[in-house]
Amino acid sequence: MDVNSQEFDTVVIGAGISGIAAANFYLKIHPDCRLVILEKEDCVGGVWNSKRSYESFWAPSKKGTAEYSDMAMIPPPEVDTFNDYFKAKYTTRYLENYVDRQRFAQQSLRQRIQFGFKVHTIQKLDGEWNVSGKDNTNKECNLYAPKLIVATGLMSAPSLPDLPSQGKFGGLVVHHERFGQSSVLSDPDMKHVTVLGGGKAAASMAYASAKAGKHVSWVIRESGTGPGHFICSKENENGMAYTRFLARMSPSYLNPDTRWTRFQRGTVLGRKFGRSFWGSFDKGLRTEANYEKRPSVKGFEKLSPHTPSAGTLHYPDFWDTIAQNVQVYQDDIFELGKGLVRLKGGEEVPSDVLLCGTGWKSTQDFFDRDLLVELGLPHPFEDEPAEAAKKWDRLGKEADQKVLKQFPALGKPPVHHEKPIQATPYRLYNGIAPLRDDSIVFIGHVQIANCFRVAECQAIWATAYLDKQIPLPPVEEREAEVALAIAWCRRRYLSNGQQGNMLAFELMGYTDKLLCELGLSTHLLGGKLDLVSPAVPRDLRGLHGEYVRKYGNDETKVL
């Protein structure tokens, strides 16, 4: 068989927000590097690519925050904005323009992307990474490089539920990934729409279907973690969600050790204040939604949140539309029948299409089992060597004791559904680096808000790591820190934190930690401004120059 073999200095897998950021900063430091970006789709954007978009799909961040620090987004027109949030298609256009405008060694980022490349296997042979797959002509390819950046993220593959008797259904089963490409909203023959899931994706599809005049049923699995909080964007929001002040109200191991954080977590009065603060926030959301008293005969009260997860919605009439037009069930699917979804409680829901807002999975199928274990990626428990399992069990117990000592309130969780743990968690230092291999990094594998800021900070840290510029603590200390992060995630975010990579409210603490480890500080404003000013891309504009002054780049090293 004819196999195309290519040699590179660095291979990046994924051309979403994280992959683009990683490639861009790495090339700023190594402009003549032979770098290639592999993308399975025929367009850039990952979650935000044009194939996933639909008219009522909105970006989760406000104007002026959803962009890289070195290129501002052209403000979307007012007709496509709501309280400074905007439709996702403008993020797509921004990323398409970005890869055309960023150039290194007479090549744009787009020219470095191999579109339609499906990665099949990744191996490490004689100290070099071998990435095998098929290009967009279906030709077998082997790419070799000493450094590898995996930026496939946490939403690279749809997570679809087991649907007994699906063959009898006769209708479409569509995951949110392909909702924008489907004809569900425009096809007059698709009258009855059933939506499965309890998160933002399910909420958006239920709303869009109801506005399109469909008969909508929304099924939230009783065996799942329940519906999340839906936060409707407000006019004149001050960006408090992206401040260090709000971050330090969260019981987080990433917060600095200050008199305030010691008071908050170490005293009865401080813990009472924290409960009151978050209780007031929760009460405000519930009052706005009015789950129990809003006029509805369709089970609207079943949307009352059961999980700490949250998503921002951008429809001023969302609650009324759902309450008046969507039948809500909290039950599991027993099986599919011809033109219907049969629930375990006995209800038969007429359905021409089943829309699955059932989340995503971060698939690392291209690594074999030994590499999954070696790199600290999630793998089945039975693949874990006995000595390693014993070590991580000990580290986990020790870390859990530290978490409970530091944050006693986390030892008294609310009633919640515990999903069975089916695999080991991520064991990556800072959510990026394997503990015993400094030639590979994983970008975009933490669950966190404002992915542009996170992507840029991860890209900077990863570049320094691959260049061996970071004075890392001994591996035993890094193992203990990884175990602490996992234990804290599971206590703080319950079932949603089982993989050890949930940092929903830790944007500022996490990105500050990455930059602090590099000794970078130009992103800080100084004084009280650091505490109350919302994070915006311009905060990061000085980091490239500061990095070069501290660590150099290929041009300064030649001089």
Side-chain angles (χ1 to χ4, degrees):
M1 179 182 294
D2 184 23
V3 178
N4 180 21
S5 294
Q6 303 174 68
E7 293 276 352
F8 293 95
D9 298 316
T10 304
V11 172
V12 180
I13 303 177
I17 290 173
S18 294
I20 292 170
N24 187 64
F25 192 82
Y26 196 86
L27 285 165
K28 283 184 176 181
I29 305 305
H30 306 289
D32 296 317
C33 168
R34 295 175 302 162
L35 181 146
V36 65
I37 307 168
L38 307 180
E39 171 52 51
K40 66 178 181 180
E41 301 287 358
D42 58 7
C43 52
V44 302
V47 175
W48 309 105
N49 74 44
S50 55
K51 291 184 175 181
R52 296 192 185 185
S53 186
Y54 53 93
E55 190 57 26
S56 57
F57 185 28
W58 289 70
S61 302
K62 303 180 71 170
K63 286 190 292 186
T65 63
E67 59 195 37
Y68 298 118
S69 62
D70 57 358
M71 186 178 118
M73 176 187 286
I74 298 172
E78 290 301 315
V79 68
D80 285 333
T81 63
F82 175 64
N83 293 340
D84 274 347
Y85 291 87
F86 53 92
K87 292 186 175 179
K89 62 185 178 183
Y90 295 99
T91 297
T92 305
R93 294 178 190 177
Y94 172 81
L95 292 171
E96 292 282 0
N97 290 334
Y98 190 86
V99 296
D100 287 328
R101 290 183 56 176
Q102 301 302 109
R103 301 185 66 86
F104 304 92
Q106 289 76 54
Q107 268 193 311
S108 69
L109 283 181
R110 183 182 296 279
Q111 290 171 315
R112 296 172 183 268
I113 302 173
Q114 292 190 17
F115 289 105
F117 193 105
K118 305 294 192 298
V119 175
H120 294 160
T121 63
I122 298 177
Q123 304 175 74
K124 195 168 189 183
L125 305 171
D126 299 324
E128 189 171 55
W129 291 103
N130 171 210
V131 180
S132 300
K134 289 186 177 181
D135 64 15
N136 59 3
T137 68
N138 209 35
K139 185 176 182 179
E140 294 280 352
C141 298
N142 282 332
L143 280 62
Y144 298 91
K147 297 179 182 179
L148 181 61
I149 300 174
V150 181
T152 49
L154 297 171
M155 297 183 179
S156 56
S159 177
L160 286 165
D162 180 34
L163 299 169
S165 305
Q166 184 174 343
K168 298 179 182 178
F169 183 47
L172 291 178
V173 176
V174 180
H175 188 270
H176 183 245
E177 178 189 34
R178 299 302 178 189
F179 180 61
Q181 291 180 275
S182 74
S183 59
V184 172
L185 301 181
S186 60
D187 189 338
D189 293 329
M190 294 189 190
K191 297 180 174 64
H192 296 276
V193 174
T194 297
V195 179
L196 177 64
K200 180 181 175 180
S204 296
M205 292 191 291
Y207 174 84
S209 300
K211 296 297 283 187
K214 309 295 183 180
H215 298 281
V216 184
S217 300
W218 186 354
V219 178
I220 299 171
R221 291 173 289 184
E222 194 169 39
S223 61
T225 56
H229 286 85
F230 299 122
I231 305 171
C232 288
S233 57
K234 302 290 192 304
E235 190 174 4
N236 299 323
E237 286 178 333
N238 60 7
M240 182 60 70
Y242 295 152
T243 64
R244 291 178 180 85
F245 171 79
L246 189 67
R248 292 176 190 180
M249 292 300 299
S250 177
S252 175
Y253 78 102
L254 289 168
N255 285 336
D257 185 26
T258 65
R259 281 188 294 179
W260 165 252
T261 54
R262 288 194 295 272
F263 163 76
Q264 183 190 20
R265 69 197 181 205
T267 68
V268 173
L269 184 60
R271 292 194 291 271
K272 183 177 180 180
F273 177 78
R275 287 194 299 271
S276 176
F277 178 87
W278 289 109
S280 175
F281 180 72
D282 179 82
K283 183 179 179 180
L285 296 179
R286 292 176 186 273
T287 299
E288 180 182 15
N290 197 11
Y291 296 107
E292 302 299 331
K293 296 181 180 179
R294 188 181 292 270
S296 175
V297 293
K298 295 179 175 290
F300 179 76
E301 69 282 355
K302 295 172 184 172
L303 291 176
S304 182
H306 297 172
T307 175
S309 64
T312 304
L313 299 173
H314 314 288
Y315 323 115
D317 61 342
F318 174 79
W319 296 120
D320 286 336
T321 298
I322 298 298
Q324 296 166 17
N325 300 284
V326 177
Q327 180 67 54
V328 181
Y329 300 92
Q330 189 156 19
D331 202 351
D332 289 290
I333 293 178
F334 176 68
E335 65 177 359
L336 303 186
K338 184 172 177 57
L340 61 85
V341 174
R342 187 172 291 116
L343 304 179
K344 286 188 175 180
E347 293 274 5
E348 293 189 346
V349 183
S351 307
D352 299 311
V353 58
L354 176 61
L355 302 177
C356 296
T358 46
W360 307 84
K361 55 186 179 182
S362 176
T363 177
Q364 308 293 343
D365 293 345
F366 32 68
F367 293 111
D368 64 27
R369 290 188 170 190
D370 289 341
L371 262 180
L372 289 175
V373 174
E374 182 181 327
L375 296 174
L377 300 175
H379 54 271
F381 290 112
E382 57 267 25
D383 291 343
E384 185 99 297
E387 282 301 311
K390 185 177 179 180
K391 176 185 70 176
W392 285 107
D393 181 64
R394 173 180 56 79
L395 289 172
K397 289 176 178 176
E398 292 172 356
D400 193 55
Q401 290 176 358
K402 290 180 181 178
V403 170
L404 293 178
K405 182 178 180 181
Q406 191 171 6
F407 307 106
L410 296 184
K412 301 174 183 178
V415 176
H416 64 284
H417 175 75
E418 282 284 356
K419 292 189 294 187
I421 301 176
Q422 300 177 334
T424 62
Y426 280 90
R427 293 168 179 160
L428 301 174
Y429 182 64
N430 282 340
I432 300 174
L435 291 165
R436 289 178 169 80
D437 193 321
D438 58 6
S439 65
I440 180 173
V441 290
F442 294 84
I443 307 294
H445 285 72
V446 295
Q447 301 181 62
I448 197 168
N450 197 328
C451 45
F452 277 93
R453 184 183 184 90
V454 174
E456 282 204 69
C457 293
Q458 285 192 330
I460 296 169
W461 192 93
T463 297
Y465 177 81
L466 291 172
D467 288 346
K468 299 177 177 54
Q469 299 279 19
I470 305 175
L472 295 171
V475 68
E476 293 79 14
E477 290 183 24
R478 281 178 280 146
E479 287 177 339
E481 185 173 324
V482 167
L484 180 68
I486 295 167
W488 175 85
C489 275
R490 290 175 170 175
R491 288 287 182 177
R492 176 66 176 89
Y493 293 107
L494 307 176
S495 285
N496 291 320
Q498 288 176 355
Q499 283 195 309
N501 62 341
M502 170 65 80
L503 298 173
F505 293 102
E506 277 63 51
L507 169 68
M508 301 308 295
Y510 177 67
T511 53
D512 281 351
K513 181 180 189 297
L514 295 179
L515 299 177
C516 180
E517 285 189 5
L518 296 176
L520 303 179
S521 61
T522 54
H523 63 293
L524 300 173
L525 304 177
K528 293 181 179 179
L529 287 176
D530 279 327
L531 195 62
V532 299
S533 296
V536 291
R538 64 174 173 268
D539 297 343
L540 308 182
R541 287 178 185 168
L543 288 173
H544 171 236
E546 185 182 11
Y547 184 100
V548 172
R549 290 191 295 274
K550 188 174 184 67
Y551 298 108
N553 60 15
D554 285 353
E555 294 173 352
T556 61
K557 289 171 185 175
V558 170
L559 295 175

